[in-house]
Structures are given as structure tokens and as C-alpha cells.
Amino acid sequence: MSATYLRQATQADLPKISAIIADAKAYLKEQKINQWQGNYPLSADLETDIQNGISYVLIIDGEVAGTAALHQGIDPHYLKIEDGQWANGPEANYTAIHRIALSGNFRGQHLSGKLISGLITISGVLGYTDVRIDTHPDNKGMQHVITSNGFTKRGIVYMAEDDPKRFAYQLLIN
């Protein structure tokens, strides 16, 4: 059985995180999903996440297998939601999972769910009871992972990207 856990990312993880994001961009392109096909996320975004202490990595047997940012507090992109509403309103106290990606070396092992589950646990430990996430309408794989982890689709939000429409999901925890 492999040792699997989540930890806060450090500056030393930045090259591996950048490589995972580049790999995820290529994978999305292969799948003809117009998500992350521009400059986003930039290396500066990833570095800022680490500096702000919101970047996490999934470790499998000592190797960085996945990455995500766990934004805390209000995300400006989530203030306006269409075709639905947030259960606690747009200005509730919540975490938002962003920039989630797995290394191609670990694809197909159902590790996205472990990464999300770990981020939900961290959210609870930090005192949050509301966790939000979004994904591209064409990203059926991530939609499955999100709903398999208990999230409910709440509506549509828009990011600051070339193809900005995103399905928005929410999970309330105790």
C-alpha cells in the first residue's frame, strides 16, 4: 500500500507543480476542452499560491502527484452566479478549490478524489463549513470527480479567461 497524503506546498515544489499544470493543459487540449488553453494559470499564480500558504500537493510514495490551491474567503468570481444560487449566499465564509491538477504519471488512479477529499478535510480543520469549486462545462471528468465527492451543482460563474464559463459546485460540511 502506498503512502498518500496532502501537505502544504513549498517553494521547492514549484518546478514540479509547474510541470503538472503544463501536463494538465496538454491533457485538456487533447480532450478538446478549452480550459487553461491560454496563459492561465501563470507561473506567477502558482508562486503566489505558495507564498500565500494556499498551495497544496498530493504526495504518493514521496512523489508530488497532484496540486491545488485552497482559496480562503470570498472569491470575486463567485460573487455573481447565474442559473442558480449559493446555499449560503455569495458572501458567505468559504474555501474555494482552484488550479487542481494531477501528474500524467498518476492519471487514471482516482487520485483527484483523494486530493479533493484532503482539501475538504483541511477546510474543516481551518473552521470552514462551505467548500466551493468550479470547472469548465466540457470537463466531464472533473464534473464526475466533483459530484462523486458530494458537491452539488449550484449554477454558472465566470472566470477571467478566454473561455470563462464555469459550472459552480458547493459542499456544506459540519
Side-chain angles (χ1 to χ4, degrees):
M1 184 118 183
S2 61
T4 303
Y5 60 94
L6 216 58
R7 69 164 169 78
Q8 220 167 18
T10 67
Q11 203 62 35
D13 296 317
L14 186 57
K16 187 64 177 175
I17 291 169
S18 296
I20 288 170
I21 293 294
D23 185 46
K25 284 182 170 190
Y27 180 72
L28 289 167
K29 186 174 186 174
E30 275 176 33
Q31 302 299 308
K32 299 186 181 359
I33 299 170
N34 193 24
Q35 183 175 4
W36 294 3
Q37 296 307 298
N39 292 326
Y40 179 85
L42 297 167
S43 291
D45 296 323
L46 306 175
E47 192 163 347
T48 299
D49 290 346
I50 292 170
Q51 290 168 355
N52 290 338
I54 65 167
S55 180
Y56 290 86
V57 288
L58 177 67
I59 305 296
I60 306 292
D61 287 335
E63 188 175 342
V64 175
T67 181
L70 187 65
H71 179 87
Q72 298 172 43
I74 294 173
D75 181 326
H77 297 105
Y78 288 2
L79 288 172
K80 182 180 178 194
I81 186 166
E82 295 178 354
D83 295 330
Q85 62 185 7
W86 299 112
N88 296 345
E91 296 186 20
N93 196 25
Y94 60 88
T95 58
I97 300 170
H98 290 301
R99 295 181 279 288
I100 184 170
L102 280 178
S103 164
N105 297 334
F106 293 90
R107 198 169 288 127
Q109 297 179 37
H110 306 287
L111 295 174
S112 294
K114 286 187 181 215
L115 180 51
I116 288 176
S117 178
L119 293 166
I120 292 167
T121 299
I122 291 167
S123 295
V125 168
L126 293 172
Y128 293 91
T129 58
D130 184 343
V131 184
R132 301 177 185 188
I133 189 169
D134 66 83
T135 194
H136 194 280
D138 293 338
N139 196 338
K140 305 293 186 205
M142 184 54 73
Q143 290 170 39
H144 174 74
V145 170
I146 291 168
T147 57
S148 294
N149 277 275
F151 286 81
T152 302
K153 187 175 175 190
R154 303 304 297 175
I156 297 169
V157 294
Y158 291 88
M159 298 292 120
E161 296 181 48
D162 292 340
D163 191 5
K165 182 178 178 180
R166 299 288 184 267
F167 289 166
Y169 299 83
Q170 181 177 35
L171 175 66
L172 300 177
I173 58 176
N174 298 341

